[in-house]
Amino acid sequence: NSTKKSLRSFRWRKRSRRIRVPLGFLFVIFYIWLARPSFLSLPISLVLVVPGILLRGYASGYVKKNAELTTTGPYAYTRNPLYLGSILIAFGFALAARSVWIAVVLTLLFLVIYWPVILGEEEYLRAQFSGYEEYCSRVPRLLPRPWAVQSAVSGSFSFDLYRKHREYNSIFGSFCVYLVLIARIFLWH
């Protein structure tokens, strides 16, 4: 029975990785349809969106995907700073849209799609890097511990990595969402 459950879990993790982008496009339609932004909700949302963009950008300048276990920079505080940044951005846009339903659907999407993806990535990292278990014992999965001790492994932010991961797209994407929300205020109210 546990083998069947484990196999189903593995299959869902694989499937969730494949469907997250198409679901994202469907969510955009849902988002625009339900969004009721205001001139007050837009600047308030920046309280979450800007730190999310900064965290994603900062994390992308440290991570060397599939090459080494990154434990420095924001990875010394949370094992998933890129996902945490995405969550901040997403809920910032939910705040901008002033829709409880958007926040509810975002929460469900995170639990059903992104949580299994995170767990699948952890399995991969556990198999690839011998120090991953020890790293997990020190650093929380998602919510950071502000008092974390920096890893002994040296590391510094790299603009080359930032550009390689094209994290500047999150700035462009966020700008486009705000343009759509501004248009929503003027054109569809």
Side-chain angles (χ1 to χ4, degrees), residues 43 56 155 167 171:
R56 282 194 57 88
E167 197 52 48
I171 297 169

Side-chain angles (χ1 to χ4, degrees), residues 20 56 80-87 114 117-118 121 142:
R20 67 182 174 172
R56 282 194 57 88
N80 293 285
L82 290 166
Y83 287 122
L84 180 58
S86 294
I87 290 168
Y114 283 95
V117 169
I118 288 170
E121 288 176 1
L142 194 62

Side-chain angles (χ1 to χ4, degrees), residues 100-115:
V100 172
W101 288 110
I102 288 173
V104 167
V105 170
L106 275 173
T107 302
L108 289 173
L109 284 173
F110 175 75
L111 293 173
V112 173
I113 302 296
Y114 283 95
W115 195 253

Side-chain angles (χ1 to χ4, degrees), residues 35-104:
R36 300 292 180 263
S38 70
F39 287 114
L40 182 60
S41 70
L42 296 182
I44 290 173
S45 71
L46 293 171
V47 171
L48 294 174
V49 173
V50 170
I53 290 170
L54 292 173
L55 180 56
R56 282 194 57 88
Y58 185 51
S60 73
Y62 279 86
V63 67
K64 296 175 185 166
K65 294 179 182 177
N66 303 323
E68 69 180 44
L69 179 62
T70 306
T71 61
T72 58
Y75 291 89
Y77 301 94
T78 172
R79 297 192 312 257
N80 293 285
L82 290 166
Y83 287 122
L84 180 58
S86 294
I87 290 168
L88 290 171
I89 294 167
F91 283 95
F93 284 130
L95 187 61
R98 298 185 320 141
S99 171
V100 172
W101 288 110
I102 288 173
V104 167

Side-chain angles (χ1 to χ4, degrees), residues 8 12 18 34 37 65 86 100 102 114 131 138 141 168 173:
R8 277 194 307 265
W12 178 247
R18 282 190 306 236
L34 284 181
K65 294 179 182 177
S86 294
V100 172
I102 288 173
Y114 283 95
R138 290 184 293 108
R141 180 177 282 140
Y168 47 80

